[in-house]
Amino acid sequence: MFEFQNRPNAPHLLETGERVQLPTIYGSFELLPFMEIATGKEHIALTKGPVENKKSVLLRIHSACATGDLFGSMRCDCGEQLHRALQAIEQEGRGVLIYLQQEGRGIGLMQKMKAYKLQEQGVDTVDANLQLGHQADERDYRAAAEILRQLNISQVKLLTNNPNKKSGLEKYGINVACCIPLLTEPNPHNAFYLQTKEKRMGHLLGQLNFENHE
């Protein structure tokens, strides 16, 4: 259990909701919702076990992916990463999953579908965003860092293949002790997508085997 800490000197970024128990197929968690004051975006922190003032807390920062998380899309690895992260936290017995409303690497659902259409025409995921006038990745982790501070967590073990998440958290004062890979098996629908993330976005996917899907 943790207690919300009012920090009068901190920027008033988030409104905190009611903490509730959340039994899931992976185990029991506590859910605490947050809302960004400036944007109205709502985020979620799922916590397992004692995390307040603990070092090297296992953490997954997961950006919302309606297609992958809700519908099990095989075009990405998001849904599988989400479920594997919850399993890892349950196994560890202590940890946090922060679910951020940053659909489509920050461009939103409507623009993401336009990017999907371009990908169906052979454009890779990076160039699809660029052709639509966006950056390859527009996500920001300030809200995640503030959620961690409100949970009194300053050091984490980050479940990610994306080194930009590490730098994105450290930019806002969170100490990332290490990154732990969260690899999923490629399939014929997402192999090119994953290879693009490795080659053009620096994701650490060297252990994956793409030979059967090229």
Side-chain angles (χ1 to χ4, degrees), residues 152-165:
N152 287 319
I153 297 170
S154 60
Q155 185 185 74
V156 299
K157 297 182 296 185
L158 189 60
L159 285 165
T160 187
N161 307 320
N162 181 3
N164 288 334
K165 283 188 179 180

Side-chain angles (χ1 to χ4, degrees), residues 175-189:
N175 179 11
V176 179
C178 64
C179 290
I180 301 172
L182 196 60
L183 301 174
T184 63
E185 189 64 26
N187 66 67
H189 305 282

Side-chain angles (χ1 to χ4, degrees), residues 34-61:
F34 295 87
M35 184 181 73
E36 287 189 59
I37 302 300
T39 65
K41 288 184 178 180
E42 295 176 320
H43 310 297
I44 293 170
L46 282 184
T47 67
K48 177 77 178 184
V51 297
E52 185 178 8
N53 295 318
K54 301 295 184 181
K55 291 185 177 180
S56 297
V57 173
L58 190 62
L59 170 69
R60 168 67 179 172
I61 298 178

Side-chain angles (χ1 to χ4, degrees), residues 63-199:
S63 297
C65 174
T67 50
D69 299 343
L70 299 179
F71 304 121
S73 169
M74 297 178 70
R75 295 182 63 150
C76 64
D77 56 344
C78 303
E80 191 172 352
Q81 283 191 318
L82 173 63
H83 298 297
R84 288 194 178 193
L86 289 171
Q87 290 173 319
I89 292 169
E90 175 64 22
Q91 185 175 6
E92 178 98 347
R94 180 167 62 91
V96 180
L97 186 143
I98 296 177
Y99 195 85
L100 297 178
Q101 290 299 330
Q102 298 194 125
E103 184 80 38
R105 298 200 300 272
I107 67 175
L109 183 61
M110 296 289 281
Q111 290 294 295
K112 176 181 170 180
M113 292 304 101
K114 290 182 179 180
Y116 266 20
K117 181 59 68 175
L118 289 172
Q119 290 172 50
E120 289 176 354
Q121 299 166 8
V123 180
D124 73 33
T125 183
V126 170
D127 283 336
N129 276 26
L130 296 177
Q131 287 185 25
L132 292 171
H134 298 288
Q135 298 176 36
D137 190 340
E138 296 188 356
R139 289 174 294 182
D140 182 79
Y141 300 102
R142 185 182 185 187
E146 185 61 22
I147 288 171
L148 290 170
R149 276 191 284 271
Q150 292 193 9
L151 300 180
N152 287 319
I153 297 170
S154 60
Q155 185 185 74
V156 299
K157 297 182 296 185
L158 189 60
L159 285 165
T160 187
N161 307 320
N162 181 3
N164 288 334
K165 283 188 179 180
K166 179 179 186 293
S167 58
L169 276 180
E170 291 176 337
K171 172 183 176 181
Y172 294 113
I174 301 299
N175 179 11
V176 179
C178 64
C179 290
I180 301 172
L182 196 60
L183 301 174
T184 63
E185 189 64 26
N187 66 67
H189 305 282
N190 71 11
F192 180 56
Y193 164 81
L194 293 176
Q195 286 177 302
T196 301
K197 290 207 298 184
E198 179 184 32
K199 293 176 181 178

